[in-house]
Amino acid sequence: KNQVEQSPQSLIILEGKNCTLQCNYTVSPFSNLRWYKQDTGRGPVSLTIMTFSENTKSNGRYTATLDADTKQSSLHITASQLSDSASYICVVSDRGSTLGRLYFGRGTQLTVWP
Amino acid sequence: EADIYQTPRYLVIGTGKKITLECSQTMGHDKMYWYQQDPGMELHLIHYSYGVNSTEKGDLSSESTVSRIRTEHFPLTLESARPSHTSQYLCASSGPTSGSREDIQYFGAGTRLSVL
């Protein structure tokens, strides 16, 4: 069964600290993995997208890694800010954009305290 | 900033009412989607469209219907709302973007529906 599991379910950190969110998937075949940020009451916003051949991608203070062999990905947030408080969702696609379907994780709820 | 808009943002209605959730995008994307999301849960695809006059049901069974008469509009309709329809509905569109071979999905802000 194709699944996307994220951990931890929730996380509280102090402003300025770093954190790492995990994503494990069993989706096969694999096309690409995406990380989204979803603020409360808003739609998700794309942070990174990685294909099979990419093992790291950065977007400002966000760095995503991908190990396609172990089917694991992580999202590292550096020097957290209050505005980083949101749900971070891992999404895996099983084919190319035209035909692929997306498998969504339940997200990690990150809270950054001052 | 994505150019995809949903209205209304919030809607509280009584059981049995007919409602239409609006979604429009100005990016010229052919592909559009409707997702349902309950608090703390993953998004579930309920409808998608790959272009004008093309609509398909998603993975999650839904009593809603959609239409795609124009590229930019993808409204979702519930003929007779019930309390079980209470949820957040997210519309998205996808298309190519510079710097990536894969389509990127852009989401609207969502409509939070409460059926009493």
Side-chain angles (χ1 to χ4, degrees):
Chain A
K1 181 181 179 183
N2 289 322
Q3 285 186 310
V4 177
E5 301 287 344
Q6 292 188 243
S7 62
Q9 185 175 353
S10 61
L11 180 63
I12 300 174
I13 61 173
L14 295 177
E15 186 178 15
K17 297 297 185 181
N18 303 337
C19 67
T20 301
L21 314 180
Q22 300 290 344
C23 174
N24 296 338
Y25 63 92
T26 59
V27 177
S28 181
F30 171 85
S31 175
N32 59 73
L33 185 145
R34 309 153 188 243
W35 282 95
Y36 283 87
K37 178 188 179 186
Q38 185 176 21
D39 292 313
T40 301
R42 311 291 296 184
V45 174
S46 179
L47 294 175
T48 63
I49 178 170
M50 291 180 291
T51 58
F52 185 89
S53 59
E54 298 173 296
N55 54 25
T56 187
K57 183 163 282 189
S58 293
N59 178 359
R61 294 180 296 101
Y62 301 102
T63 299
T65 64
L66 172 65
D67 186 335
D69 291 331
T70 61
K71 298 187 176 182
Q72 295 179 325
S73 175
S74 65
L75 180 69
H76 186 75
I77 304 175
T78 305
S80 60
Q81 301 175 357
L82 298 179
S83 59
D84 292 332
S85 295
S87 178
Y88 291 84
I89 303 172
C90 177
V91 185
V92 180
S93 177
D94 62 359
R95 286 179 181 84
S97 296
T98 303
L99 299 176
R101 64 156 290 182
L102 301 178
Y103 296 85
F104 288 81
R106 293 188 176 184
T108 291
Q109 184 64 47
L110 175 66
T111 303
V112 181
W113 283 1
Chain B
E1 192 74 20
D3 295 317
I4 179 164
Y5 308 99
Q6 290 186 243
T7 57
R9 288 292 319 279
Y10 305 93
L11 181 61
V12 181
I13 60 169
T15 298
K17 299 293 185 184
K18 176 180 178 179
I19 60 167
T20 296
L21 308 184
E22 299 289 347
C23 176
S24 62
Q25 50 97 4
T26 58
M27 296 174 281
H29 289 162
D30 288 325
K31 298 172 219 171
M32 296 190 74
Y33 315 80
W34 275 103
Y35 292 90
Q36 187 173 338
Q37 184 184 30
D38 293 319
M41 302 296 288
E42 63 267 49
L43 279 72
H44 291 285
L45 181 67
I46 51 176
H47 297 282
Y48 62 96
S49 167
Y50 283 168
V52 171
N53 294 325
S54 155
T55 62
E56 300 288 343
K57 288 190 178 295
D59 306 313
L60 183 67
S61 175
S62 174
E63 294 164 343
S64 58
T65 59
V66 292
S67 63
R68 190 87 183 277
I69 299 173
R70 292 163 54 186
T71 298
E72 57 270 27
H73 290 152
F74 191 39
L76 180 145
T77 298
L78 274 167
E79 290 293 333
S80 179
R82 294 206 300 270
S84 61
H85 296 139
T86 295
S87 187
Q88 174 162 260
Y89 293 84
L90 289 162
C91 178
S93 71
S94 69
T97 185
S98 61
S100 175
R101 294 182 304 169
E102 302 293 336
D103 284 1
I104 299 295
Q105 270 197 330
Y106 297 91
F107 285 84
T111 293
R112 187 168 295 281
L113 173 66
S114 295
V115 183
L116 307 178

